[in-house]
Amino acid sequence: MQVHELLQFVDEAVYLKTGKHLNDLQRGVIEGTLKYQKYSDIADNCGCSPGHAKDVGYELLQMLSDIFDEPVDKGNLKSVLQRQGNVNISLGHRSINSNIVGCINLNSKQPKIKSNKNNSDTSKSSQSSNNQAKIDKLRQFGLNDEQIAEALELPLEVVNQF
């Protein structure tokens, strides 16, 4: 995989776990680590202090350890990503990594949607369309309804409705 493909792979895995995409510094840390750069070099490229780059890098590597269910550090990031991304599945015009499916199935948490009494209908509608989008995407990855229900922590009946 090319660096930009690895960045996209990590971004999708992080998004599925946290509901947030990688920021520029996190992307810089991954890219710099894959190129065997020191945190001082990564910091220069990203316009921040080496200490801040190191702190962000540490937090990111801990998050990736949690997502991939194996220890990830600066010295093994490349091999972990290669191992996690070693089998590709073609889905039309896109290639999706089969291990992303495992990551979704085992580690994905549904982002919490804050609601209040004034807009509970809007919140329910938003959550329903959010669930439908996630369910559709997981079906594209080849997961069955039982796996999707488990991954999204939803009742099977809710998944079957979509």
Side-chain angles (χ1 to χ4, degrees):
M1 278 190 194
Q2 300 289 339
V3 172
H4 71 277
E5 291 171 321
L6 289 171
L7 284 169
Q8 182 177 347
F9 169 71
V10 173
D11 184 62
E12 288 180 23
V14 168
Y15 180 76
L16 290 170
K17 176 72 175 181
T18 67
K20 296 180 183 179
H21 289 284
L22 295 173
N23 63 37
D24 291 342
L25 181 53
Q26 290 169 323
R27 293 177 73 84
V29 167
I30 292 168
E31 186 172 358
T33 300
L34 293 173
K35 293 178 178 179
Y36 305 106
Q37 293 179 337
K38 296 180 179 183
Y39 280 118
S40 58
D41 297 326
I42 294 169
D44 287 343
N45 293 336
C46 295
C48 67
S49 72
H52 183 61
K54 188 172 183 177
D55 291 344
V56 169
Y58 176 80
E59 290 173 11
L60 179 62
L61 295 172
Q62 293 303 309
M63 184 185 341
L64 294 177
S65 296
D66 183 44
I67 290 170
F68 296 131
D69 199 29
E70 66 177 293
V72 180
D73 58 39
K74 205 169 174 222
N76 73 355
L77 176 64
K78 187 178 244 180
S79 61
V80 168
L81 294 180
Q82 287 173 336
R83 194 169 32 260
Q84 293 289 329
N86 62 358
V87 179
N88 290 319
I89 297 173
S90 178
L91 297 174
H93 68 285
R94 287 182 62 197
S95 278
I96 299 296
N97 184 285
S98 67
N99 285 315
I100 292 176
V101 174
C103 178
I104 294 168
N105 189 23
L106 299 175
N107 296 321
S108 178
K109 297 283 186 203
Q110 182 177 351
K112 303 284 188 233
I113 298 176
K114 295 181 181 178
S115 64
N116 62 38
K117 294 177 184 174
N118 295 336
N119 63 3
S120 63
D121 290 339
T122 304
S123 176
K124 286 179 184 176
S125 173
S126 173
Q127 186 172 11
S128 177
S129 64
N130 189 20
N131 284 341
Q132 183 171 1
K134 288 180 180 181
I135 290 168
D136 290 344
K137 187 170 186 176
L138 292 172
R139 283 185 177 140
Q140 288 176 347
F141 289 150
L143 271 66
N144 64 37
D145 287 354
E146 291 81 14
Q147 292 169 320
I148 294 170
E150 182 181 336
L152 297 178
E153 298 177 352
L154 294 172
L156 182 57
E157 297 78 30
V158 172
V159 174
N160 290 333
Q161 289 176 356
F162 297 106

XYZ file of all heavy atoms in Angstrom, residues 114-152:
301
model
N -26.542 13.374 20.947
C -27.154 14.093 22.050
C -28.553 14.509 21.642
O -28.787 14.961 20.534
C -26.335 15.329 22.417
C -24.973 15.000 22.961
C -24.227 16.237 23.335
C -22.855 15.892 23.865
N -22.091 17.079 24.200
N -29.475 14.335 22.538
C -30.841 14.766 22.244
C -31.396 15.506 23.440
O -30.959 15.334 24.564
C -31.720 13.557 21.914
O -31.831 12.714 23.033
N -32.351 16.342 23.157
C -33.077 16.969 24.244
C -34.554 16.827 23.953
O -34.958 16.390 22.887
C -32.650 18.435 24.459
C -32.941 19.299 23.248
O -33.965 19.134 22.593
N -32.048 20.222 22.944
N -35.393 17.193 24.896
C -36.819 16.974 24.760
C -37.423 17.781 23.624
O -38.399 17.368 23.020
C -37.519 17.318 26.080
C -37.131 16.366 27.192
C -37.756 16.743 28.497
C -37.268 15.822 29.593
N -37.733 16.226 30.899
N -36.861 18.937 23.300
C -37.423 19.792 22.266
C -37.252 19.240 20.872
O -38.065 19.502 19.998
C -36.791 21.193 22.337
C -37.136 21.903 23.621
O -38.148 21.589 24.255
N -36.303 22.835 24.027
N -36.184 18.506 20.621
C -35.974 18.012 19.272
C -35.734 16.511 19.240
O -34.945 16.018 18.469
C -34.822 18.757 18.576
C -33.489 18.556 19.254
O -33.384 17.814 20.224
N -32.470 19.204 18.723
N -36.492 15.774 20.068
C -36.297 14.327 20.116
C -36.716 13.669 18.812
O -36.108 12.689 18.397
C -37.036 13.712 21.306
O -38.425 13.921 21.167
N -37.751 14.194 18.133
C -38.143 13.627 16.844
C -37.049 13.831 15.820
O -36.733 12.932 15.043
C -39.445 14.265 16.345
C -40.651 13.839 17.177
O -40.561 12.787 17.850
O -41.668 14.558 17.141
N -36.452 15.021 15.805
C -35.357 15.303 14.885
C -34.170 14.402 15.198
O -33.536 13.855 14.299
C -34.927 16.784 14.992
O -36.066 17.597 14.759
C -33.835 17.109 14.005
N -33.898 14.229 16.479
C -32.783 13.387 16.884
C -33.016 11.938 16.481
O -32.125 11.276 15.989
C -32.579 13.487 18.397
O -31.563 12.623 18.818
N -34.249 11.448 16.687
C -34.567 10.074 16.303
C -34.446 9.898 14.800
O -33.939 8.897 14.322
C -35.973 9.699 16.771
C -36.076 9.464 18.254
C -37.479 9.131 18.675
C -37.590 9.004 20.178
N -38.968 8.763 20.607
N -34.904 10.884 14.050
C -34.802 10.819 12.589
C -33.347 10.833 12.156
O -32.941 10.076 11.273
C -35.546 12.008 11.973
O -35.321 12.051 10.597
N -32.559 11.687 12.775
C -31.137 11.770 12.457
C -30.434 10.463 12.804
O -29.628 9.959 12.033
C -30.506 12.931 13.224
O -29.118 12.932 13.063
N -30.753 9.914 13.971
C -30.133 8.653 14.387
C -30.553 7.529 13.446
O -29.743 6.685 13.079
C -30.516 8.324 15.821
C -29.791 7.100 16.355
C -30.033 6.887 17.830
O -30.889 7.522 18.428
N -29.288 5.988 18.425
N -31.820 7.524 13.039
C -32.304 6.494 12.124
C -31.586 6.552 10.780
O -31.141 5.535 10.255
C -33.810 6.653 11.918
O -34.275 5.717 10.991
N -31.431 7.764 10.223
C -30.736 7.881 8.940
C -29.250 7.571 9.107
O -28.626 6.992 8.219
C -30.937 9.263 8.323
O -30.375 10.267 9.127
N -28.672 7.920 10.258
C -27.281 7.587 10.552
C -27.109 6.067 10.617
O -26.179 5.517 10.046
C -26.864 8.250 11.873
C -25.383 8.134 12.138
O -24.595 7.905 11.245
N -25.009 8.301 13.398
N -28.049 5.402 11.302
C -28.000 3.938 11.376
C -28.155 3.324 9.993
O -27.453 2.378 9.654
C -29.101 3.407 12.306
C -28.780 3.611 13.765
O -27.634 3.816 14.134
N -29.799 3.560 14.603
N -29.071 3.861 9.195
C -29.288 3.301 7.865
C -28.027 3.411 7.016
O -27.650 2.465 6.330
C -30.447 4.001 7.163
C -30.740 3.389 5.807
C -32.008 3.914 5.175
O -32.673 4.760 5.727
N -32.324 3.389 4.006
N -27.345 4.558 7.088
C -26.118 4.749 6.319
C -25.048 3.753 6.763
O -24.351 3.149 5.934
C -25.609 6.182 6.466
N -24.919 3.566 8.076
C -23.925 2.620 8.588
C -24.273 1.189 8.185
O -23.405 0.423 7.790
C -23.831 2.713 10.116
C -23.161 3.967 10.604
C -23.117 3.976 12.100
C -22.448 5.238 12.590
N -22.367 5.271 14.041
N -25.545 0.842 8.287
C -25.978 -0.509 7.935
C -25.718 -0.766 6.456
O -25.199 -1.822 6.075
C -27.461 -0.707 8.306
C -27.608 -0.754 9.837
C -28.023 -1.980 7.663
C -29.031 -0.654 10.342
N -26.051 0.196 5.610
C -25.807 0.045 4.173
C -24.321 -0.154 3.891
O -23.939 -1.012 3.090
C -26.324 1.265 3.399
C -27.849 1.353 3.383
O -28.514 0.337 3.689
O -28.370 2.445 3.067
N -23.477 0.638 4.558
C -22.038 0.523 4.335
C -21.514 -0.837 4.794
O -20.728 -1.481 4.099
C -21.299 1.644 5.065
C -19.820 1.692 4.754
C -19.176 2.939 5.291
C -17.737 3.021 4.840
N -17.103 4.250 5.248
N -21.983 -1.299 5.942
C -21.532 -2.590 6.450
C -22.009 -3.734 5.551
O -21.299 -4.720 5.377
C -22.002 -2.793 7.891
C -21.339 -1.859 8.911
C -22.007 -2.012 10.275
C -19.860 -2.120 9.012
N -23.197 -3.591 4.976
C -23.666 -4.606 4.027
C -22.775 -4.622 2.792
O -22.514 -5.680 2.228
C -25.114 -4.342 3.645
C -26.089 -4.778 4.728
C -27.530 -4.633 4.313
N -28.419 -5.122 5.356
C -29.544 -4.534 5.692
N -29.955 -3.449 5.066
N -30.304 -5.042 6.657
N -22.306 -3.451 2.361
C -21.393 -3.400 1.222
C -20.097 -4.139 1.536
O -19.477 -4.714 0.645
C -21.065 -1.946 0.838
C -22.206 -1.219 0.191
C -21.861 0.239 -0.082
O -20.884 0.761 0.419
N -22.694 0.883 -0.889
N -19.685 -4.123 2.794
C -18.481 -4.830 3.202
C -18.710 -6.334 3.305
O -17.791 -7.090 3.531
C -17.973 -4.325 4.555
C -17.375 -2.947 4.523
C -17.447 -2.136 5.643
C -16.742 -2.452 3.410
C -16.888 -0.877 5.643
C -16.183 -1.191 3.398
C -16.257 -0.399 4.519
N -19.974 -6.772 3.175
C -20.278 -8.194 3.191
C -20.732 -8.729 4.536
O -20.850 -9.944 4.701
N -21.003 -7.876 5.508
C -21.486 -8.348 6.798
C -22.951 -8.714 6.692
O -23.714 -8.073 5.965
C -21.312 -7.275 7.872
C -19.989 -7.267 8.629
C -18.851 -6.909 7.704
C -20.048 -6.303 9.793
N -23.353 -9.735 7.440
C -24.773 -10.083 7.479
C -25.449 -9.273 8.580
O -24.788 -8.581 9.374
C -24.970 -11.595 7.653
C -24.438 -12.113 8.973
O -24.525 -11.463 10.011
N -23.884 -13.319 8.946
N -26.780 -9.361 8.651
C -27.529 -8.531 9.596
C -27.159 -8.814 11.052
O -27.116 -7.890 11.877
C -29.038 -8.707 9.384
C -29.525 -8.037 8.109
O -28.718 -7.336 7.448
O -30.716 -8.189 7.783
N -26.879 -10.062 11.383
C -26.494 -10.391 12.758
C -25.174 -9.727 13.128
O -25.018 -9.182 14.226
C -26.387 -11.912 12.947
C -27.720 -12.643 12.888
C -28.202 -12.915 11.462
O -27.407 -12.779 10.497
O -29.387 -13.253 11.300
N -24.203 -9.757 12.212
C -22.903 -9.126 12.460
C -23.058 -7.617 12.586
O -22.425 -6.980 13.424
C -21.929 -9.469 11.334
C -21.522 -10.926 11.300
C -20.778 -11.292 10.032
O -21.115 -10.838 8.950
N -19.758 -12.126 10.176
N -23.904 -7.045 11.745
C -24.139 -5.592 11.780
C -24.780 -5.207 13.103
O -24.381 -4.227 13.743
C -25.006 -5.151 10.588
C -24.239 -5.359 9.272
C -25.446 -3.702 10.749
C -25.070 -5.184 8.024
N -25.773 -5.968 13.533
C -26.439 -5.679 14.809
C -25.436 -5.712 15.956
O -25.435 -4.835 16.823
C -27.568 -6.677 15.055
N -24.541 -6.697 15.930
C -23.526 -6.801 16.977
C -22.546 -5.637 16.913
O -22.212 -5.035 17.923
C -22.770 -8.120 16.842
C -21.721 -8.325 17.919
C -20.972 -9.638 17.759
O -21.510 -10.570 17.143
O -19.847 -9.714 18.252
N -22.098 -5.302 15.698
C -21.109 -4.235 15.536
C -21.652 -2.885 15.975
O -20.947 -2.093 16.582
C -20.643 -4.167 14.083
N -22.920 -2.614 15.647
C -23.516 -1.312 15.969
C -24.247 -1.314 17.303
O -24.815 -0.302 17.697
C -24.473 -0.884 14.850
C -23.833 -0.669 13.482
C -24.899 -0.293 12.449
C -22.757 0.401 13.547
